[in-house]
Amino acid sequence: MTSATDNATAAGALAHTAIGESDLRLHSLVEHLQEVARLAAGHAAPFGGQAWAHLAGLWHDLGKYRPGFQRYLRAASAADAENAHIEGGAGRVSHSTAGALLACERFGIAGRVLAYLIAGHHAGLYDWHSDLSSLQARLDAEASRAELQEALAAAPPEILDHGDFAPELRNLPGGSAGFALWLRMLFSALVDADFLDTEAFMDEGKASARGAWPELATLRAALDAHMGTLAAQAPDTPVNRLRARILAQCRAKASDAPGIFSLTVPTGGGKTLASMAFALDHALAHGQRRIIYVIPYTSIIEQTADVLRGIFGEAVIEHHSNAESDPGRERLRSRLACENWDAPIVVTTSVQFFESLFAARTSRCRKLHNIVGSVVVLDEAQLLPPEFLKPILGALNLLTRHYGVTVVLSTATQPALARQEYFDPQKNIAGLDDVRELMQGGPHVQTPDELYRDLRRVRVRLPADWQARTAWEDLAAELAAQPSVLAIVNTRRHAAALHALLPKGTLHLSALMCGAHRADVIDAIKARLAAGVPTRVVSTQLVEAGVDLDFPVVYRALAGLDSIAQAAGRCNREGRLDGLGEVVVFVPPEGAPPGLLAKGEGACRSVLHGHAGDPLDRALFERYFRQLYYQCDLDKHGIDKLLTVQREPPLAVNFRTAAERFRLIDDADQASVIVRYRGPAGQDASVDQHLAQLRRDGTRRWLMRALQRYTVTIPQRDTRRLLAQGDIEELLPGLFVQVGDVLYHPVLGLSVDGGGIPSRPLMV
């Protein structure tokens, strides 16, 4: 094998080394810096940041010119050659501070922009001055000064020359409020360019698997063909005729100027395909690059992705935790596209989308520049979390004003996201800019009110006495008298309590069941309803978004008005009943637990009190959401303050702290337990096989993803108790597995009390 030292003189300074078939391959540092600069500038061009991104790329690895780094890289063992360039770890040499410090010396305060980008391109964006690990502390360190001096002594003039670059910060997209997003966009352009050029050197096969996606025009033709087939096969029913009108209306509005749109259509009105048709037509009309479909729950994302993949094939990528668990669902190209979202259609979760917008880590930020120039469909927009609403709305405004993004808020219960002013100015909502309703002002649907009137398929019965609580036993007797009925309650404990009082064969759905179990039960429910088999189901609210069930009767525990409307969407969904379906709202034996559920229930009581008309009247929802949001702190974790650029010290932003606080799912006090669910018949040994392989071979990316389908999340206090009782064991730090077969019930799921779930009394 030819040594790296033998080739050092010819190759010059190195960026990376890799194991070839017969020798140690060398990657020229000057070529790497110039190519990353070129790629980064291309990534940033759509939002006008190419000059900043180019110089960040040129200087991002300036510290690699240090003699110490070059000795370290060439001396790296063959086993570590491919990772030698990465900072961190024992014996590794810093290389990302030199360029950051040079930028500050050359450009003063404005150089801090480049310093954030360059210093964080491996470790992620830093806070400016939060603690000793801040960017300010790093730049002030003596070791950083030494790194710069050593790099300057060895770097060639063409790398150190910044040309005619003259930093200008007076016209940033969004001003001081937009600085953080603009910088993260530049960071995305840099780190993706660095990843791509490094990948091209390290693994040519992987690099060649990227790209080559079909054009949006090709995808629109596929959608047209699919919709034509669907229309030819659909029964001529009032619901299907109205769905066709909704689709036509969306397509007619697609030529409207980019910005923010709402798509307010009752549940079952065909929003998924109508919004996709609008997105494709709109993107083609305005030169946008991709469609990003954002869905609130992992539990329903596969359903939407399967529908879209059936139309568009491999042009659809899923980016969520379960997608990688099935080798049949994931190809190399789709997995690579999940890293930077360069595919034409991306289906992802709200958690992935919004946490990426506020992220600091390179892996999360890498995709941001590919959100620029896209159409983003926010499915079930009413589920945007109130405690993060202020920073989320601010980011959506910035994306639509300055980054060529169109946003579609798709829901049956449109939240009140326009500007709102209250008696208490601290509660004011800046709101979204100029939201335009797709179902208004076009040739096919005159007004949303008429649309809701035409799609009315249920009658809602409210409690006669809002103070009178219904005992579980009385409710169970009512449900048992119905051949087919869905009852939705507010908590997992309520679901178990009600289910225990219902006849044998009643089905159950809650988050105490693992994902694989829930999916099997939902499939069974759909099959039974389609076959006309009497079906009773008790569920938590997990069925209220995106789960296409169609019951003649639905009972809903008192909750937020949006939850009641979503529950109604599971009743007479296809309009097949001779009359209207029946939705019964009842007051459960216990109030909703403190927090958002209780606030929603209170706002619902207030809005419906004394209301004699239809409880699902569209006019009620704005009042409901206004009251709900007034009760909430819409920036509970202070994200806006952390990300608003400060005058003193100049350009000080705490990126890392903001990213740590922006967690849509607070799992700090939660733990995951792998349960031994073995399928509807109890014969599926997949989870046992996965666990055996994990114990034998250790963690594998696909294996850990596969096991996620068998996990249940429970509070840490329950985890500690189950661990002490010997009902679970800690398989990996923070990951637990069920011991034996008693703990997991084939109907109700995990028993958090331990010792299994006792048999329930049966009612005749």
Side-chain angles (χ1 to χ4, degrees), residues 320-342:
H320 59 93
S321 58
N322 288 347
E324 297 166 2
S325 65
D326 181 354
R329 300 179 70 89
E330 185 188 41
R331 303 289 187 269
L332 174 61
R333 186 171 61 162
S334 66
R335 178 164 54 80
L336 294 174
C338 285
E339 297 172 350
N340 66 354
W341 286 7
D342 69 349

PDB file of all heavy atoms in Angstrom, residues 320-342:
ATOM      1  N   HIS A 320     -39.232  10.466   8.670  1.00  0.00           N
ATOM      2  CA  HIS A 320     -39.759  10.303  10.027  1.00  0.00           C
ATOM      3  C   HIS A 320     -39.175   9.036  10.609  1.00  0.00           C
ATOM      4  O   HIS A 320     -38.498   8.267   9.921  1.00  0.00           O
ATOM      5  CB  HIS A 320     -41.287  10.262  10.026  1.00  0.00           C
ATOM      6  CG  HIS A 320     -41.873   9.153   9.206  1.00  0.00           C
ATOM      7  ND1 HIS A 320     -42.193   7.928   9.726  1.00  0.00           N
ATOM      8  CD2 HIS A 320     -42.171   9.085   7.888  1.00  0.00           C
ATOM      9  CE1 HIS A 320     -42.682   7.159   8.765  1.00  0.00           C
ATOM     10  NE2 HIS A 320     -42.675   7.838   7.641  1.00  0.00           N
ATOM     11  N   SER A 321     -39.439   8.780  11.862  1.00  0.00           N
ATOM     12  CA  SER A 321     -38.712   7.736  12.580  1.00  0.00           C
ATOM     13  C   SER A 321     -39.031   6.335  12.097  1.00  0.00           C
ATOM     14  O   SER A 321     -38.182   5.442  12.182  1.00  0.00           O
ATOM     15  CB  SER A 321     -39.015   7.833  14.083  1.00  0.00           C
ATOM     16  OG  SER A 321     -40.406   7.717  14.324  1.00  0.00           O
ATOM     17  N   ASN A 322     -40.234   6.092  11.563  1.00  0.00           N
ATOM     18  CA  ASN A 322     -40.592   4.729  11.178  1.00  0.00           C
ATOM     19  C   ASN A 322     -40.198   4.373   9.747  1.00  0.00           C
ATOM     20  O   ASN A 322     -40.187   3.205   9.380  1.00  0.00           O
ATOM     21  CB  ASN A 322     -42.111   4.516  11.319  1.00  0.00           C
ATOM     22  CG  ASN A 322     -42.541   4.455  12.764  1.00  0.00           C
ATOM     23  OD1 ASN A 322     -41.714   4.330  13.654  1.00  0.00           O
ATOM     24  ND2 ASN A 322     -43.837   4.574  12.993  1.00  0.00           N
ATOM     25  N   ALA A 323     -39.881   5.367   8.922  1.00  0.00           N
ATOM     26  CA  ALA A 323     -39.674   5.096   7.504  1.00  0.00           C
ATOM     27  C   ALA A 323     -38.502   4.165   7.262  1.00  0.00           C
ATOM     28  O   ALA A 323     -38.502   3.381   6.320  1.00  0.00           O
ATOM     29  CB  ALA A 323     -39.452   6.407   6.750  1.00  0.00           C
ATOM     30  N   GLU A 324     -37.475   4.235   8.129  1.00  0.00           N
ATOM     31  CA  GLU A 324     -36.281   3.448   7.894  1.00  0.00           C
ATOM     32  C   GLU A 324     -36.373   2.046   8.474  1.00  0.00           C
ATOM     33  O   GLU A 324     -35.430   1.277   8.390  1.00  0.00           O
ATOM     34  CB  GLU A 324     -35.079   4.179   8.492  1.00  0.00           C
ATOM     35  CG  GLU A 324     -34.842   5.532   7.821  1.00  0.00           C
ATOM     36  CD  GLU A 324     -33.895   6.393   8.611  1.00  0.00           C
ATOM     37  OE1 GLU A 324     -33.392   5.922   9.646  1.00  0.00           O
ATOM     38  OE2 GLU A 324     -33.654   7.538   8.206  1.00  0.00           O
ATOM     39  N   SER A 325     -37.497   1.721   9.103  1.00  0.00           N
ATOM     40  CA  SER A 325     -37.608   0.413   9.742  1.00  0.00           C
ATOM     41  C   SER A 325     -37.982  -0.687   8.763  1.00  0.00           C
ATOM     42  O   SER A 325     -37.868  -1.858   9.070  1.00  0.00           O
ATOM     43  CB  SER A 325     -38.651   0.475  10.866  1.00  0.00           C
ATOM     44  OG  SER A 325     -39.932   0.732  10.333  1.00  0.00           O
ATOM     45  N   ASP A 326     -38.438  -0.313   7.597  1.00  0.00           N
ATOM     46  CA  ASP A 326     -38.870  -1.293   6.605  1.00  0.00           C
ATOM     47  C   ASP A 326     -37.994  -1.148   5.368  1.00  0.00           C
ATOM     48  O   ASP A 326     -38.118  -0.180   4.614  1.00  0.00           O
ATOM     49  CB  ASP A 326     -40.342  -1.037   6.244  1.00  0.00           C
ATOM     50  CG  ASP A 326     -40.869  -2.049   5.235  1.00  0.00           C
ATOM     51  OD1 ASP A 326     -40.073  -2.860   4.733  1.00  0.00           O
ATOM     52  OD2 ASP A 326     -42.073  -2.012   4.949  1.00  0.00           O
ATOM     53  N   PRO A 327     -37.082  -2.090   5.124  1.00  0.00           N
ATOM     54  CA  PRO A 327     -36.205  -1.964   3.955  1.00  0.00           C
ATOM     55  C   PRO A 327     -36.979  -1.822   2.653  1.00  0.00           C
ATOM     56  O   PRO A 327     -36.484  -1.240   1.694  1.00  0.00           O
ATOM     57  CB  PRO A 327     -35.400  -3.268   3.981  1.00  0.00           C
ATOM     58  CG  PRO A 327     -35.442  -3.716   5.410  1.00  0.00           C
ATOM     59  CD  PRO A 327     -36.796  -3.291   5.913  1.00  0.00           C
ATOM     60  N   GLY A 328     -38.196  -2.333   2.608  1.00  0.00           N
ATOM     61  CA  GLY A 328     -38.993  -2.206   1.397  1.00  0.00           C
ATOM     62  C   GLY A 328     -39.479  -0.797   1.154  1.00  0.00           C
ATOM     63  O   GLY A 328     -39.832  -0.432   0.037  1.00  0.00           O
ATOM     64  N   ARG A 329     -39.515   0.031   2.202  1.00  0.00           N
ATOM     65  CA  ARG A 329     -40.001   1.405   2.064  1.00  0.00           C
ATOM     66  C   ARG A 329     -38.867   2.373   1.743  1.00  0.00           C
ATOM     67  O   ARG A 329     -39.098   3.503   1.361  1.00  0.00           O
ATOM     68  CB  ARG A 329     -40.669   1.871   3.368  1.00  0.00           C
ATOM     69  CG  ARG A 329     -41.850   1.041   3.777  1.00  0.00           C
ATOM     70  CD  ARG A 329     -42.422   1.575   5.074  1.00  0.00           C
ATOM     71  NE  ARG A 329     -43.073   2.855   4.875  1.00  0.00           N
ATOM     72  CZ  ARG A 329     -44.350   2.999   4.543  1.00  0.00           C
ATOM     73  NH1 ARG A 329     -45.100   1.944   4.365  1.00  0.00           N
ATOM     74  NH2 ARG A 329     -44.878   4.193   4.386  1.00  0.00           N
ATOM     75  N   GLU A 330     -37.631   1.929   1.976  1.00  0.00           N
ATOM     76  CA  GLU A 330     -36.525   2.875   1.866  1.00  0.00           C
ATOM     77  C   GLU A 330     -35.478   2.387   0.882  1.00  0.00           C
ATOM     78  O   GLU A 330     -34.972   1.285   1.000  1.00  0.00           O
ATOM     79  CB  GLU A 330     -35.887   3.072   3.247  1.00  0.00           C
ATOM     80  CG  GLU A 330     -34.821   4.137   3.228  1.00  0.00           C
ATOM     81  CD  GLU A 330     -34.075   4.186   4.540  1.00  0.00           C
ATOM     82  OE1 GLU A 330     -33.774   3.137   5.117  1.00  0.00           O
ATOM     83  OE2 GLU A 330     -33.779   5.306   4.967  1.00  0.00           O
ATOM     84  N   ARG A 331     -35.159   3.205  -0.082  1.00  0.00           N
ATOM     85  CA  ARG A 331     -34.066   2.947  -1.001  1.00  0.00           C
ATOM     86  C   ARG A 331     -32.908   3.865  -0.629  1.00  0.00           C
ATOM     87  O   ARG A 331     -33.075   4.837   0.096  1.00  0.00           O
ATOM     88  CB  ARG A 331     -34.505   3.228  -2.448  1.00  0.00           C
ATOM     89  CG  ARG A 331     -35.718   2.439  -2.891  1.00  0.00           C
ATOM     90  CD  ARG A 331     -35.387   0.950  -3.086  1.00  0.00           C
ATOM     91  NE  ARG A 331     -36.508   0.223  -3.664  1.00  0.00           N
ATOM     92  CZ  ARG A 331     -37.440  -0.376  -2.952  1.00  0.00           C
ATOM     93  NH1 ARG A 331     -37.411  -0.295  -1.636  1.00  0.00           N
ATOM     94  NH2 ARG A 331     -38.418  -1.044  -3.547  1.00  0.00           N
ATOM     95  N   LEU A 332     -31.715   3.543  -1.163  1.00  0.00           N
ATOM     96  CA  LEU A 332     -30.550   4.370  -0.852  1.00  0.00           C
ATOM     97  C   LEU A 332     -30.811   5.824  -1.217  1.00  0.00           C
ATOM     98  O   LEU A 332     -30.520   6.733  -0.440  1.00  0.00           O
ATOM     99  CB  LEU A 332     -29.322   3.845  -1.605  1.00  0.00           C
ATOM    100  CG  LEU A 332     -28.056   4.706  -1.487  1.00  0.00           C
ATOM    101  CD1 LEU A 332     -27.610   4.819  -0.045  1.00  0.00           C
ATOM    102  CD2 LEU A 332     -26.952   4.142  -2.361  1.00  0.00           C
ATOM    103  N   ARG A 333     -31.398   6.047  -2.391  1.00  0.00           N
ATOM    104  CA  ARG A 333     -31.615   7.420  -2.834  1.00  0.00           C
ATOM    105  C   ARG A 333     -32.564   8.156  -1.895  1.00  0.00           C
ATOM    106  O   ARG A 333     -32.343   9.326  -1.555  1.00  0.00           O
ATOM    107  CB  ARG A 333     -32.149   7.437  -4.263  1.00  0.00           C
ATOM    108  CG  ARG A 333     -32.261   8.856  -4.826  1.00  0.00           C
ATOM    109  CD  ARG A 333     -32.575   8.872  -6.301  1.00  0.00           C
ATOM    110  NE  ARG A 333     -33.832   8.231  -6.612  1.00  0.00           N
ATOM    111  CZ  ARG A 333     -34.488   8.403  -7.759  1.00  0.00           C
ATOM    112  NH1 ARG A 333     -33.976   9.168  -8.695  1.00  0.00           N
ATOM    113  NH2 ARG A 333     -35.624   7.791  -7.993  1.00  0.00           N
ATOM    114  N   SER A 334     -33.634   7.486  -1.443  1.00  0.00           N
ATOM    115  CA  SER A 334     -34.582   8.147  -0.548  1.00  0.00           C
ATOM    116  C   SER A 334     -33.952   8.421   0.808  1.00  0.00           C
ATOM    117  O   SER A 334     -34.205   9.453   1.433  1.00  0.00           O
ATOM    118  CB  SER A 334     -35.853   7.312  -0.394  1.00  0.00           C
ATOM    119  OG  SER A 334     -35.588   6.096   0.262  1.00  0.00           O
ATOM    120  N   ARG A 335     -33.112   7.498   1.288  1.00  0.00           N
ATOM    121  CA  ARG A 335     -32.446   7.721   2.577  1.00  0.00           C
ATOM    122  C   ARG A 335     -31.490   8.909   2.478  1.00  0.00           C
ATOM    123  O   ARG A 335     -31.427   9.745   3.375  1.00  0.00           O
ATOM    124  CB  ARG A 335     -31.699   6.465   3.018  1.00  0.00           C
ATOM    125  CG  ARG A 335     -30.944   6.646   4.318  1.00  0.00           C
ATOM    126  CD  ARG A 335     -30.549   5.313   4.923  1.00  0.00           C
ATOM    127  NE  ARG A 335     -29.803   4.482   4.004  1.00  0.00           N
ATOM    128  CZ  ARG A 335     -28.492   4.628   3.755  1.00  0.00           C
ATOM    129  NH1 ARG A 335     -27.805   5.581   4.340  1.00  0.00           N
ATOM    130  NH2 ARG A 335     -27.879   3.813   2.921  1.00  0.00           N
ATOM    131  N   LEU A 336     -30.766   9.005   1.371  1.00  0.00           N
ATOM    132  CA  LEU A 336     -29.856  10.127   1.191  1.00  0.00           C
ATOM    133  C   LEU A 336     -30.633  11.438   1.082  1.00  0.00           C
ATOM    134  O   LEU A 336     -30.208  12.468   1.608  1.00  0.00           O
ATOM    135  CB  LEU A 336     -29.006   9.918  -0.060  1.00  0.00           C
ATOM    136  CG  LEU A 336     -28.023   8.738  -0.015  1.00  0.00           C
ATOM    137  CD1 LEU A 336     -27.345   8.563  -1.366  1.00  0.00           C
ATOM    138  CD2 LEU A 336     -26.983   8.937   1.079  1.00  0.00           C
ATOM    139  N   ALA A 337     -31.776  11.397   0.405  1.00  0.00           N
ATOM    140  CA  ALA A 337     -32.577  12.613   0.256  1.00  0.00           C
ATOM    141  C   ALA A 337     -33.134  13.091   1.582  1.00  0.00           C
ATOM    142  O   ALA A 337     -33.390  14.289   1.758  1.00  0.00           O
ATOM    143  CB  ALA A 337     -33.714  12.377  -0.738  1.00  0.00           C
ATOM    144  N   CYS A 338     -33.331  12.185   2.540  1.00  0.00           N
ATOM    145  CA  CYS A 338     -33.791  12.597   3.866  1.00  0.00           C
ATOM    146  C   CYS A 338     -32.758  13.460   4.575  1.00  0.00           C
ATOM    147  O   CYS A 338     -33.092  14.222   5.476  1.00  0.00           O
ATOM    148  CB  CYS A 338     -34.119  11.374   4.725  1.00  0.00           C
ATOM    149  SG  CYS A 338     -35.658  10.557   4.276  1.00  0.00           S
ATOM    150  N   GLU A 339     -31.496  13.328   4.182  1.00  0.00           N
ATOM    151  CA  GLU A 339     -30.450  14.111   4.821  1.00  0.00           C
ATOM    152  C   GLU A 339     -30.549  15.587   4.456  1.00  0.00           C
ATOM    153  O   GLU A 339     -30.269  16.453   5.279  1.00  0.00           O
ATOM    154  CB  GLU A 339     -29.070  13.575   4.421  1.00  0.00           C
ATOM    155  CG  GLU A 339     -28.813  12.151   4.883  1.00  0.00           C
ATOM    156  CD  GLU A 339     -27.533  11.571   4.311  1.00  0.00           C
ATOM    157  OE1 GLU A 339     -26.930  12.205   3.407  1.00  0.00           O
ATOM    158  OE2 GLU A 339     -27.132  10.492   4.763  1.00  0.00           O
ATOM    159  N   ASN A 340     -30.949  15.870   3.208  1.00  0.00           N
ATOM    160  CA  ASN A 340     -30.978  17.280   2.791  1.00  0.00           C
ATOM    161  C   ASN A 340     -32.230  17.681   2.004  1.00  0.00           C
ATOM    162  O   ASN A 340     -32.297  18.795   1.483  1.00  0.00           O
ATOM    163  CB  ASN A 340     -29.727  17.621   1.979  1.00  0.00           C
ATOM    164  CG  ASN A 340     -29.664  16.880   0.650  1.00  0.00           C
ATOM    165  OD1 ASN A 340     -30.495  16.022   0.350  1.00  0.00           O
ATOM    166  ND2 ASN A 340     -28.668  17.212  -0.168  1.00  0.00           N
ATOM    167  N   TRP A 341     -33.214  16.798   1.929  1.00  0.00           N
ATOM    168  CA  TRP A 341     -34.509  17.114   1.315  1.00  0.00           C
ATOM    169  C   TRP A 341     -34.352  17.640  -0.119  1.00  0.00           C
ATOM    170  O   TRP A 341     -34.987  18.623  -0.500  1.00  0.00           O
ATOM    171  CB  TRP A 341     -35.276  18.139   2.168  1.00  0.00           C
ATOM    172  CG  TRP A 341     -35.851  17.567   3.413  1.00  0.00           C
ATOM    173  CD1 TRP A 341     -35.665  16.315   3.916  1.00  0.00           C
ATOM    174  CD2 TRP A 341     -36.726  18.235   4.338  1.00  0.00           C
ATOM    175  NE1 TRP A 341     -36.352  16.154   5.093  1.00  0.00           N
ATOM    176  CE2 TRP A 341     -37.007  17.320   5.374  1.00  0.00           C
ATOM    177  CE3 TRP A 341     -37.273  19.508   4.395  1.00  0.00           C
ATOM    178  CZ2 TRP A 341     -37.830  17.638   6.459  1.00  0.00           C
ATOM    179  CZ3 TRP A 341     -38.090  19.827   5.473  1.00  0.00           C
ATOM    180  CH2 TRP A 341     -38.367  18.899   6.488  1.00  0.00           C
ATOM    181  N   ASP A 342     -33.567  16.956  -0.934  1.00  0.00           N
ATOM    182  CA  ASP A 342     -33.430  17.411  -2.319  1.00  0.00           C
ATOM    183  C   ASP A 342     -34.404  16.696  -3.256  1.00  0.00           C
ATOM    184  O   ASP A 342     -34.301  16.824  -4.474  1.00  0.00           O
ATOM    185  CB  ASP A 342     -31.985  17.254  -2.810  1.00  0.00           C
ATOM    186  CG  ASP A 342     -31.558  15.794  -2.973  1.00  0.00           C
ATOM    187  OD1 ASP A 342     -32.290  14.897  -2.514  1.00  0.00           O
ATOM    188  OD2 ASP A 342     -30.481  15.560  -3.556  1.00  0.00           O
TER     189      ASP A 342
END
